[in-house]
Amino acid sequence: IRHLLVPVNPVEVERPVSEWIWGGFLLGALGFALHLLVSLCLLKRLARRAKPAVAWLQELVPDLGSTRVLVSDEAKRPFCFGLGAGTIVLPADLVDLRNECRLRVVLLHERAHIDQRHGRARLIAALATPLLYWQPLFWWLTRSLRLDAELVADELASVSMDKRDYALELLELVESTQRARLAGALSMGAFGSRNQFLERMETLLKR
């Protein structure tokens, strides 16, 4: 009976709990790290399969410099990547002479991201995610940085044109993307939520 009355060491009780916490953290970190690795592999494969942009597309924004422009049948949205001169990827469905003004807006917007080195911030956030994914403040901060980057790109891209025309072209692109998404082709993910996009355009037009 005496051995049943011996007090239990609280450290021995808490130890399994801490092990579960650490195990959960490591499992989550591994999951985010694998997600990052898979994303990088998919991005590399998409870029490898994409085709260089035709001459008239490059001429829409003459001062692209050494920035590479690719056209991809696999891309679901326009985006850019790279830490140096950068690469802009356009969906093949968007590349049409009838979309000349829209393409120019997209190229100016993505080039602004490259000029402002927003890719570095995205890379740092991606590398930090496996370690900080459990922290709500980290997700709030990355979302705020992403929104600020989009606002800066909007401001710089619209310098050479009327801001209302810029906003209308992007709005048309968002609406066409939404229709395509409902049809199973494209995704609205390029612009975040519709409310966030409208907030961006409202901020731009007020400046």
Side-chain angles (χ1 to χ4, degrees), residues 9 40 56 118 123 185 197:
N9 189 339
L40 291 174
W56 67 265
H118 291 155
L123 178 60
F197 173 78

Side-chain angles (χ1 to χ4, degrees), residues 166-182:
Y166 175 87
L168 286 174
E169 287 294 341
L170 279 188
L171 182 59
E172 284 292 325
L173 181 58
V174 169
E175 290 179 347
S176 64
T177 301
Q178 184 181 33
R179 290 193 295 268
R181 180 178 68 91
L182 296 175

Side-chain angles (χ1 to χ4, degrees), residues 25-159:
F25 169 78
L26 292 175
L27 186 61
L30 178 61
F32 278 104
L34 288 175
H35 179 269
L36 175 60
L37 181 61
V38 170
S39 299
L40 291 174
C41 291
L42 292 176
L43 176 61
K44 184 177 179 179
R45 187 183 69 173
L46 185 148
R48 187 174 63 250
R49 294 181 177 181
K51 301 176 181 178
V54 292
W56 67 265
L57 190 57
Q58 292 273 11
E59 293 170 359
L60 287 178
V61 182
D63 53 345
L64 280 174
S66 56
T67 299
R68 183 174 59 158
V69 180
L70 301 176
V71 179
S72 171
D73 293 322
E74 301 176 31
K76 306 303 181 185
R77 60 178 178 84
F79 66 93
C80 64
F81 67 92
L83 301 180
T87 298
I88 298 174
V89 179
L90 301 173
D93 294 340
L94 181 63
V95 180
D96 191 306
L97 279 170
R98 293 172 295 181
N99 296 329
E100 183 175 333
C101 292
R102 194 166 304 162
L103 284 166
R104 184 168 181 268
V105 165
V106 169
L107 289 172
L108 287 171
H109 181 91
E110 299 302 335
R111 190 198 64 179
H113 280 307
I114 294 172
D115 290 345
Q116 295 300 307
R117 303 290 192 268
H118 291 155
R120 294 183 180 180
R122 288 197 295 267
L123 178 60
I124 293 173
L127 293 175
T129 301
L131 298 177
L132 300 175
Y133 71 91
W134 55 273
Q135 173 58 260
L137 182 61
F138 170 75
W139 294 106
W140 176 85
L141 181 60
T142 54
R143 182 184 179 278
S144 299
L145 290 175
R146 191 180 303 115
L147 178 58
D148 288 344
E150 293 299 331
L151 289 171
V152 170
D154 287 333
E155 183 68 28
L156 294 175
S158 61
V159 167

